[in-house]
Amino acid sequence: MIYKRSSALFAAAQKVLPGGVNSPVRAFNAVGGNPIFVERAEGPYLYDEDGNRFIDYINSWGPMILGHAHAPVVNAVKERAEKGTSFGTPTALETEIATLAVSMVPNIDKIRFVNSGTEACMSAVRLARGYTQKDKIIKFAGCYHGHSDSFLIQAGSGAVTFGTPNSPGVTKGTAKDTLLATYNDIDSVQKLFDENDDEIACIILEPVAGNMGCIPPSAGFLEQLRELCDNHKALLVFDEVMTGFRLAKGGAQELYGVNADIVTFGKVIGGGLPVGAFAARNEIMDHLAPEGPVYQAGTLSGNPLAMAAGLAMLKELENDEVYASLKKKTAYLHEGIEEKLKAAKVTHTINRVESMISVHFSETPVTDFESAASGNNETFKKFFHGMLNEGIYLAPSAFETWFLTDALSYEDLDETIAACERVAKTL
Ligand SMILES: *Cc1c(COP(=O)(O)O)cnc(C)c1O
């Protein structure tokens, strides 16, 4: 493939944007080479500025669960745009999407819309601290909850890829209130509670981790966290920015049958526009301004354009068949890739939960950050570039999950598996 225009555009971008990008994971630092510049996208395909077509397995890092330029979403945005894009006043649309979201997700009464997953998680933790009147939080190594200061402690994907797990600019004062546990290791959490008795406001986690590749919670892990939180009067916060409306209508809470106290959303909930949200039962949400004392605000929060896109998306996802179809397609891809890698004797481990899947070039099971980091990064780089040249767009980091879209046909999946067969022979 030829990337002439993308290369020129990247050179121009680097002069005026740090690293040529507006979010570090878009750069190819972890795999080498230059990013492709996308001109347009439709269904499961990306088209770059050089006219190359790629089958997309990132889907804007998750939101495009029904494919790019999905007609109901695009039409809703077009219609709303003509009536004005933001008023800074309440609109009927906000109540409509809130009512729908609350009906789809278990165990929540109220939801507050913000503009990104970062904002959602940052606000959720403030609410947990305000509600419990405690300061410390527990997070897991390798889990990403956006780029706000409290979370940039062993934060998975982007932060790991760039070798700055503890970012400069995060103060020691902030870092000391973030306690670090090991994913799928309940003893590491118990120990933190033992050492910080009565000081822990909440545990925040990705109920299915997606920022160290895809890592499912081990059997009983979420239930044990629930119990620890109940015993210590701490809140359990599920960061469902990635898993919300992706694993099921009701996200991981529904899939695993475990209730969180606060749930955060992003990605799918905005239908591809910048939207985040956090939600909880009344007793917790009542603490939020203007009802309660915990402050949170946003000039563009809940703006009609974003809400129209989100609402159109959620309406489509009320249909459970979407999730059944996505699951089947992801299982099909899993089997296909597994077979080709095995045939070529490439050491690997594939993790999958519903429509999230990741391939680790690792001999051991991948269950936490340490095992995710033990994968062979040189093999990943070759695999990534090999697949890219075959027209398959994967995330440019071994720490990222692939997100499938229901717009993928079985022909697209077969094309991907055939590409994998050719690339596997070069590894
Ligand atoms: C993407 C992501 C975030 C951050 O969302 P942004 O919209 O990028 O700020 C937070 N948590 C998880 C689990 C994510 O995957």
Side-chain angles (χ1 to χ4, degrees):
M1 283 205 195
I2 292 172
Y3 304 111
K4 206 166 151 231
R5 276 185 57 80
S6 277
S7 298
L9 286 165
F10 189 50
Q14 282 171 297
K15 291 189 184 141
V16 284
L17 297 166
V21 293
N22 277 312
S23 188
V25 290
R26 293 176 199 168
F28 277 17
N29 291 28
V31 289
N34 293 342
I36 58 160
F37 278 57
V38 171
E39 195 257 326
R40 68 190 175 88
E42 200 184 330
Y45 307 122
L46 293 176
Y47 298 89
D48 74 4
E49 293 275 357
D50 290 283
N52 301 311
R53 189 203 80 169
F54 301 89
I55 301 177
D56 185 13
Y57 286 96
I58 305 185
N59 287 292
S60 189
W61 306 90
M64 306 305 175
I65 190 166
L66 300 177
H68 291 283
H70 187 59
V73 175
V74 171
N75 293 338
V77 169
K78 273 189 192 160
E79 251 173 55
R80 281 316 296 196
E82 293 189 346
K83 297 180 186 168
T85 56
S86 179
F87 317 123
T89 73
T91 58
L93 199 50
E94 290 161 278
T95 309
E96 203 183 335
I97 183 174
T99 306
L100 181 57
V102 166
S103 78
M104 291 169 81
V105 177
N107 190 40
I108 60 170
D109 297 317
K110 282 188 184 141
I111 185 165
R112 165 72 50 94
F113 286 96
V114 295
N115 303 291
S116 68
T118 295
E119 253 189 274
C121 294
M122 178 184 87
S123 309
V125 163
R126 184 181 306 134
L127 180 57
R129 284 171 164 156
Y131 178 81
T132 59
Q133 312 221 338
K134 298 189 237 182
D135 288 347
K136 293 186 178 169
I137 64 169
I138 293 178
K139 87 173 274 288
F140 293 90
C143 278
Y144 181 66
H145 306 295
H147 63 89
S148 100
D149 287 2
S150 321
F151 300 129
L152 283 183
I153 321 283
Q154 294 245 339
S157 54
V160 170
T161 301
F162 289 86
T164 49
N166 299 288
S167 171
V170 176
T171 66
K172 289 195 188 92
T174 299
K176 81 171 178 19
D177 285 330
T178 301
L179 309 173
L180 205 61
T182 305
Y183 202 80
N184 280 329
D185 177 356
I186 198 70
D187 292 343
S188 72
V189 185
Q190 176 71 58
K191 188 160 171 276
L192 292 175
F193 273 109
D194 292 344
E195 291 166 355
N196 299 272
D197 198 25
D198 237 17
E199 288 183 89
I200 293 167
C202 69
I203 298 176
I204 183 168
L205 83 157
E206 298 175 61
V208 172
N211 284 287
M212 37 186 170
C214 171
I215 299 186
S218 56
F221 183 57
L222 299 177
E223 288 84 349
Q224 287 169 318
L225 293 177
R226 178 70 271 171
E227 200 182 320
L228 274 179
C229 283
D230 290 342
N231 292 344
H232 293 270
K233 296 197 164 50
L235 299 188
L236 183 60
V237 181
F238 276 4
D239 177 352
E240 298 227 39
V241 169
M242 199 178 266
T243 54
F245 305 100
R246 168 163 289 278
L247 300 182
K249 258 196 306 216
Q253 285 194 107
E254 178 186 324
L255 189 67
Y256 293 98
V258 175
N259 284 344
D261 297 304
I262 305 179
V263 188
T264 63
F265 299 102
K267 302 193 167 105
V268 175
I269 201 173
L273 267 76
V275 180
F278 58 103
R281 297 182 305 274
N282 283 329
E283 70 207 69
I284 298 171
M285 288 309 261
D286 288 352
H287 280 66
L288 198 63
E291 262 186 289
V294 177
Y295 197 69
Q296 193 283 321
T299 301
L300 291 174
S301 293
N303 73 77
L305 212 56
M307 294 298 94
L311 180 61
M313 176 61 96
L314 295 196
K315 279 183 178 167
E316 298 276 290
L317 296 176
E318 275 191 289
N319 178 0
D320 281 319
E321 278 168 29
V322 172
Y323 295 103
S325 162
L326 267 166
K327 181 178 184 163
K328 246 177 87 187
K329 286 176 187 175
T330 315
Y332 184 86
L333 182 72
H334 182 165
E335 274 170 37
I337 290 183
E338 179 98 67
E339 186 199 317
K340 302 306 176 197
L341 290 176
K342 256 192 195 149
K345 298 197 167 50
V346 179
T347 302
H348 71 281
T349 298
I350 299 179
N351 283 355
R352 168 170 60 94
V353 178
E354 306 294 316
S355 61
M356 291 166 62
I357 181 169
S358 60
V359 179
H360 301 261
F361 294 104
S362 155
E363 279 171 44
T364 51
V366 175
T367 57
D368 58 13
F369 178 67
E370 205 181 297
S371 46
S374 72
N376 186 330
N377 203 40
E378 290 310 308
T379 307
F380 178 81
K381 282 186 201 175
K382 270 201 214 159
F383 181 67
F384 169 82
H385 280 290
M387 293 297 274
L388 190 69
N389 267 320
E390 293 273 355
I392 312 294
Y393 194 67
L394 305 176
S397 158
F399 288 98
E400 303 288 359
T401 299
W402 311 6
F403 301 101
L404 268 68
T405 159
D406 203 39
L408 285 162
S409 66
Y410 282 89
E411 289 74 44
D412 295 323
L413 297 172
D414 284 337
E415 195 178 323
T416 307
I417 294 163
C420 179
E421 180 174 24
R422 289 187 289 274
V423 172
K425 287 175 185 156
T426 70
L427 297 178

